[in-house]
Amino acid sequence: MGRVWKCSGLRWTSDGPVLVWDGGRRSGLPWGKRVAFAVPEGAVRRCVGARGNACPVAAGVPGRSRGARCEECARLDRAHSVAADTLADDPRPYRVYLAWFGPGMVKVGITAVERGPVRLLEQGAVCFAWLGAGPLMAARRTEELLRAALRVPDRIPYADKRAVRAALPGTVAERAAEVAELHARAVALTGWPESLSREPCRVVDHVERFGLLGAAAAAAGDVVELVPGGAVSGELVAAAGPDLHLAVGGRRGVVVLDTRLMTGWEVVPRSSDVGELGFAVREFASEPDGLF
């Protein structure tokens, strides 16, 4: 068996998506790059640990887990996090945003100002707009205000986001319409915290950055889990959030690989210029509207 690699996940940089490996190595992911690897026979997926520390028992984790953490490490990872509301005294300024993933799929969220738009890229937001900026708790109260007054959720499942990417509206204006309409309704609400400054509506579109232009990136389904003895080889045609859209050829065409499924596995490079897929795939519904 050749050299073994362990994936730490996908990161978004100014140059595009990058796969990060244990030990610090990074693999850039330009469109057209061949992504090819295999999971060795007999391999076991191990917990990735928490907050930079290895799992003390190297616990095995299920193949379908997106977090790749055992129960104890998952608990520790969420401790002292903004998402778990345990960092109320965080002094950094935060932004409130509206993110759009497809027709009827808009969410509200917050992110540290210092992170810029990275959080939106990580979530696979097709387009977004800032609502305002201020202290953490003011941003959190504004998020709650929109959830209560406008019924805007703060979470949308990745499975739903993937299923609608093949049928996105064709123009920037069409994709921006729902965000612009909700932005206007949001800033008109009373009850905003005084310490949160409001921002004008400027919708940022990520379709080109994600490579989702045209039919070439439209996927038929997504990989369910990695398994020992399985392999994949495909050309990268698009990427959004943690997802790689790979053209594997044959009956499958383009499939989505959630890179969070790779973490915790030891994988080996595969030298193959031919499309290949040795993992189970869940097909998307032919009519995405039927999902909601």
Side-chain angles (χ1 to χ4, degrees), residues 34 216 233-237 245-249 253-255 275-276:
R34 174 68 55 175
S233 174
E235 177 187 339
L236 182 67
V237 294
H245 289 227
L246 302 176
V248 297
V254 175
V255 299
E276 177 184 7

Side-chain angles (χ1 to χ4, degrees), residues 5-6 44-45 49 52 69 75 78 117 166 196 212 214 216 241 244 249 275:
W5 298 89
K6 292 191 72 174
V44 176
R45 193 183 191 197
R69 290 185 175 91
R75 184 186 66 79
R78 283 188 61 82
L196 194 100
L212 296 174
L244 303 182

Side-chain angles (χ1 to χ4, degrees), residues 140-161:
R140 185 65 85 194
R141 286 196 298 271
T142 305
E143 182 184 39
E144 292 298 326
L145 174 65
L146 267 64
R147 289 176 60 192
L150 302 181
R151 305 295 184 190
V152 183
D154 64 350
R155 190 166 301 178
I156 294 177
Y158 274 99
D160 293 350
K161 301 175 189 178

Side-chain angles (χ1 to χ4, degrees), residues 179-197:
V179 171
E181 188 269 337
L182 265 174
H183 191 286
R185 291 173 59 196
V187 298
L189 291 171
T190 59
W192 279 57
E194 292 183 4
S195 57
L196 194 100
S197 62

Side-chain angles (χ1 to χ4, degrees), residues 9-284:
L10 185 144
R11 304 287 184 270
W12 281 90
T13 71
S14 58
D15 296 324
V18 173
L19 276 178
V20 181
W21 307 92
D22 282 9
R25 178 171 176 174
R26 295 186 166 214
S27 301
L29 294 170
W31 309 143
K33 182 182 180 69
R34 174 68 55 175
V35 176
F37 66 87
V39 179
E41 292 282 1
V44 176
R45 193 183 191 197
R46 299 293 183 186
C47 173
V48 297
R51 311 190 73 78
N53 299 304
C55 177
V57 296
V61 291
R64 299 192 182 198
S65 167
R66 260 62 179 182
R69 290 185 175 91
C70 67
E71 185 175 339
E72 180 63 16
C73 287
R75 184 186 66 79
L76 291 173
D77 190 65
R78 283 188 61 82
H80 309 294
S81 72
V82 172
D85 279 335
T86 56
L87 278 180
D89 58 347
D90 188 340
R92 296 177 299 170
Y94 277 77
R95 269 176 160 163
V96 186
Y97 62 80
L98 289 170
W100 185 89
F101 303 91
M105 299 172 65
V106 185
K107 63 156 282 187
V108 61
I110 68 172
T111 185
V113 169
E114 65 188 33
R115 297 203 72 207
V118 172
R119 181 63 182 145
L120 287 305
L121 295 167
E122 291 173 344
Q123 294 183 65
V126 176
C127 62
F128 78 94
W130 302 120
L131 276 166
L136 171 59
M137 295 315 294
R140 185 65 85 194
R141 286 196 298 271
T142 305
E143 182 184 39
E144 292 298 326
L145 174 65
L146 267 64
R147 289 176 60 192
L150 302 181
R151 305 295 184 190
V152 183
D154 64 350
R155 190 166 301 178
I156 294 177
Y158 274 99
D160 293 350
K161 301 175 189 178
R162 296 185 188 108
V164 298
R165 284 186 199 140
L168 294 173
T171 68
V172 173
E174 288 175 303
R175 294 190 292 270
E178 285 186 73
V179 171
E181 188 269 337
L182 265 174
H183 191 286
R185 291 173 59 196
V187 298
L189 291 171
T190 59
W192 279 57
E194 292 183 4
S195 57
L196 194 100
S197 62
R198 307 186 195 193
E199 298 191 29
C201 183
R202 297 188 180 95
V203 181
V204 178
D205 191 274
H206 284 154
V207 162
E208 185 172 354
R209 187 162 189 183
F210 286 159
L212 296 174
L213 294 170
D222 60 342
V223 173
V224 175
E225 63 179 321
L226 306 191
V227 294
V232 63
S233 174
E235 177 187 339
L236 182 67
V237 294
D243 298 340
L244 303 182
H245 289 227
L246 302 176
V248 297
R251 181 176 65 87
R252 294 294 187 187
V254 175
V255 299
V256 175
L257 171 62
D258 184 341
T259 53
R260 294 175 301 173
L261 295 174
M262 295 174 63
T263 57
W265 284 108
E266 292 184 337
V267 301
V268 293
R270 194 171 184 87
S271 57
S272 173
D273 294 328
V274 180
E276 177 184 7
L277 184 63
F279 305 119
V281 171
R282 172 178 44 233
E283 294 186 1
F284 296 143

